[in-house]
Amino acid sequence: MEALSFLSVSSVSLLNATACRTQKKNNREKIMSLKPPLMDLPIQTSEAGFYTGFNKSVAVYSKIIVAILVIWAVVFPDQAGRILNAINSFILANTAYWYIYIVALFLILCVTLALIPATGRLKLGVEGDKPEFGDFSWFSMMFGAAIGVGMLTWAVAEPVYHFQNNPDVIAGVVEGGTAESVRYAYKWANLHWGFGAWACYGITGMAMAYFSYRRGLPLTVRSSLTPIFGKALSGTLGNVIDIVAVVATILGVAQALGFGVEQFVAGMTRIGIDGLTSEEGTANTLGVLVAIVIIMSASTMSALSGVGKGIKLLSNINMCLSIFLLSFFLIFGSTFFGLNAFFYGIIDYVMALPKLMFQVFRSDGVADSIATKQEGWQGAWSVFYWAWWVAFAPFVGMFLARISKGRTIREFVLGAMVIPAIMCFVWFSFAGGTAIDLTLNGDAGDAIFSSSDGDKIFAMVVHMLGDYMGWAMSVLIVILLLTYLVTTADSAVLIVNTINAAGDEGPKARPHIYFWGIALGAVVAGLLIAGGPGGGLKAIQTAMVIGAFPFSIVMVLQCAALIKGIWHDTQRSAAGIQNTTDFVEVAIPAK
């Protein structure tokens, strides 16, 4: 028995030793299979001539595509409108699932990476990198470039829309235009401007910053896909990706500027400059041209001064003016109503978010059924917004990456997704809430609701303050709007040039800045004028939705590349293998 016991123990020990050796062998093989990540992605740039320092393929082809769009819209407006609308209708009717699900993916990935301790601590840079900008300037630039323009239009207009009609009203859960529909209005408004919207920017910005600042790759969209495509991105594939990013950026920013131009013209009309609007109350040709010349002239001059000067100064100014205007609504607006809208709106939104992230309304084939109406509403609002944020993502994402070097992933998600979303909730609650309350209690009658989207905020302050003080506040709003428009436009021009220059912030030759400033203004003006009275914004929206779809595919690939890159980097760190540009290999003395 003792002999058998001894043999059994020996057998177990032998098996354990064998298993241990096998595990060590597997670990060694696994370590040996890991290689340092790609840290050199050469992108061909011209060494002489007009395009010195720029990738000629990306710069030329993106200019050609934008030029063709503008010429087509202006010379053949009917044909362009018919074809673009057909493509737009097809995309909105057949990609609802795609847009709803990918935005859910972006949100889940951002939150997961921030919450996991190991990934949340990862720095968007190397060990010694420190943030270039202070927290206030960093946040001001993010908010101003990303969404500030939209706030002045939609902080009032969107809660008003959803107060009257939303999927819950369509389903008969609540009656539109009543006090009971307020909470439902804010649930849907917060969905469109909340965490999902900012996750679109966050995922693109995080991917570009991670691979550019940790691995020394060019700060451009193609670099964020290196874990998947590797060195192939140096050639045609990378050029195509960057061209898609440039076109999406121009169309996405054109959408924001289109809303801004309409509101800017409405504001100038309010302060006494006549002849800029049509009978329908929208900007006429003269109004569009005057607004575009003012905005793009100022933005081009700002772009020439760079991020650290003009854009930073304007961002700080518009943030201070925004705080002043928001304080006015907090103090003199419907404060109690706004507080209720803020807190209940967030609670309702967060509780409904797990369902809203994946909810897709589909028609049952009956023309006037609830399902068909809900599908139409979602296509016109949620799907359109997700396409807009995707089109905005290469611009805002690269801008966020540019100003976030040295921040951790957790800081980045907090600063680029959570805080801006809360800021949007505040604007919607107190600006939009004041408009709803003034209408609900009968004080404003139909003065606010009957105004155009861009004019609603002006109509509200004039009603609250009277003619003289209302005029002064309107002047301040016009100035604030101009600073937001200029910040958005000049940031877009710099980002487009950075993509064209293979991620190099250096070669910003004046002719290229002038070209993209003029091109961006031409896209907005051309589509607004070609769309006709009341239809100009629709033409821009159509072009934007079409341009956003290709980049949505790029963004999903960025998610996969980010997951793969971070996972392999954690393995490299554990194995002592290089994964950042500042890696120093420590020699281990032989025994």
Side-chain angles (χ1 to χ4, degrees), residues 154-490:
W154 294 108
V156 177
E158 183 153 352
V160 167
Y161 268 114
H162 300 330
F163 169 67
Q164 297 168 302
N165 188 43
N166 60 62
D168 295 301
V169 172
I170 294 171
V173 176
V174 66
E175 182 182 353
T178 63
E180 291 74 23
S181 68
V182 172
R183 289 181 62 167
Y184 294 91
Y186 277 95
K187 179 182 72 174
W188 292 103
N190 289 346
L191 171 68
H192 298 150
W193 295 78
F195 304 132
W198 292 90
C200 293
Y201 307 148
I203 208 68
T204 298
M206 189 192 308
M208 284 192 280
Y210 187 88
F211 295 110
S212 295
Y213 297 139
R214 290 178 65 86
R215 299 185 179 179
L217 298 177
L219 183 60
T220 188
V221 177
R222 71 176 78 187
S223 296
S224 61
L225 302 181
T226 49
I228 298 176
F229 299 110
K231 292 184 178 180
L233 291 166
S234 290
T236 302
L237 176 62
N239 292 341
V240 170
I241 289 169
D242 282 347
I243 291 170
V244 167
V246 169
V247 174
T249 294
I250 293 297
L251 295 178
V253 174
Q255 174 70 49
L257 293 180
F259 285 126
V261 165
E262 289 282 358
Q263 188 169 37
F264 188 68
V265 170
M268 289 194 293
T269 301
R270 282 281 180 178
I271 62 179
I273 303 175
D274 297 323
L276 303 180
T277 57
S278 63
E279 293 180 359
E280 292 81 3
T282 58
N284 60 22
T285 300
L286 177 61
V288 169
L289 293 177
V290 169
I292 288 295
V293 168
I294 293 173
I295 294 164
M296 297 316 300
S297 297
S299 64
T300 301
M301 288 188 292
S302 177
L304 289 169
S305 68
V307 176
K309 296 180 181 178
I311 296 177
K312 177 182 176 181
L313 175 62
L314 279 173
S315 297
N316 287 339
I317 291 173
N318 60 38
M319 181 55 68
C320 291
L321 290 176
S322 296
I323 292 172
F324 175 81
L325 181 60
L326 186 58
S327 299
F328 165 77
F329 288 123
L330 283 168
I331 298 171
F332 300 105
S334 302
T335 306
F336 183 73
F337 189 97
L339 286 170
N340 273 283
F342 178 71
F343 289 110
Y344 284 114
I346 291 179
I347 292 171
D348 292 341
Y349 164 62
V350 172
M351 290 182 65
L353 187 58
K355 178 183 178 181
L356 297 179
M357 282 197 306
F358 300 100
Q359 186 174 37
V360 181
F361 297 112
R362 303 308 297 171
S363 172
D364 57 6
V366 180
D368 292 325
S369 67
I370 291 175
T372 300
K373 290 180 180 179
Q374 287 181 325
E375 181 190 50
W377 186 95
Q378 189 173 48
W381 285 98
S382 301
V383 177
F384 161 73
Y385 266 124
W386 296 160
W388 187 8
W389 304 150
V390 166
F392 233 52
F395 152 56
V396 179
M398 181 171 286
F399 188 76
L400 296 184
R402 164 64 184 83
I403 64 176
S404 300
K405 184 178 182 180
R407 304 273 179 181
T408 65
I409 287 179
R410 186 173 293 114
E411 284 179 316
F412 182 85
V413 171
L414 180 65
M417 192 181 85
V418 179
I419 295 178
I422 293 174
M423 190 71 174
C424 289
F425 300 157
V426 172
W427 267 98
F428 274 60
S429 300
F430 289 95
T434 298
I436 293 174
D437 187 44
L438 289 174
T439 303
L440 265 180
N441 63 30
D443 187 57
D446 200 36
I448 300 172
F449 279 26
S450 62
S451 300
S452 64
D453 293 338
D455 193 43
K456 279 182 169 61
I457 192 169
F458 295 106
M460 182 169 64
V461 297
V462 168
H463 171 78
M464 294 172 64
L465 298 174
D467 291 337
Y468 296 107
M469 289 299 295
W471 179 88
M473 184 62 77
S474 295
V475 171
L476 183 144
I477 294 173
V478 168
I479 294 172
L480 173 59
L481 177 62
L482 180 60
T483 62
Y484 272 133
L485 288 167
V486 170
T487 302
T488 299
D490 61 12

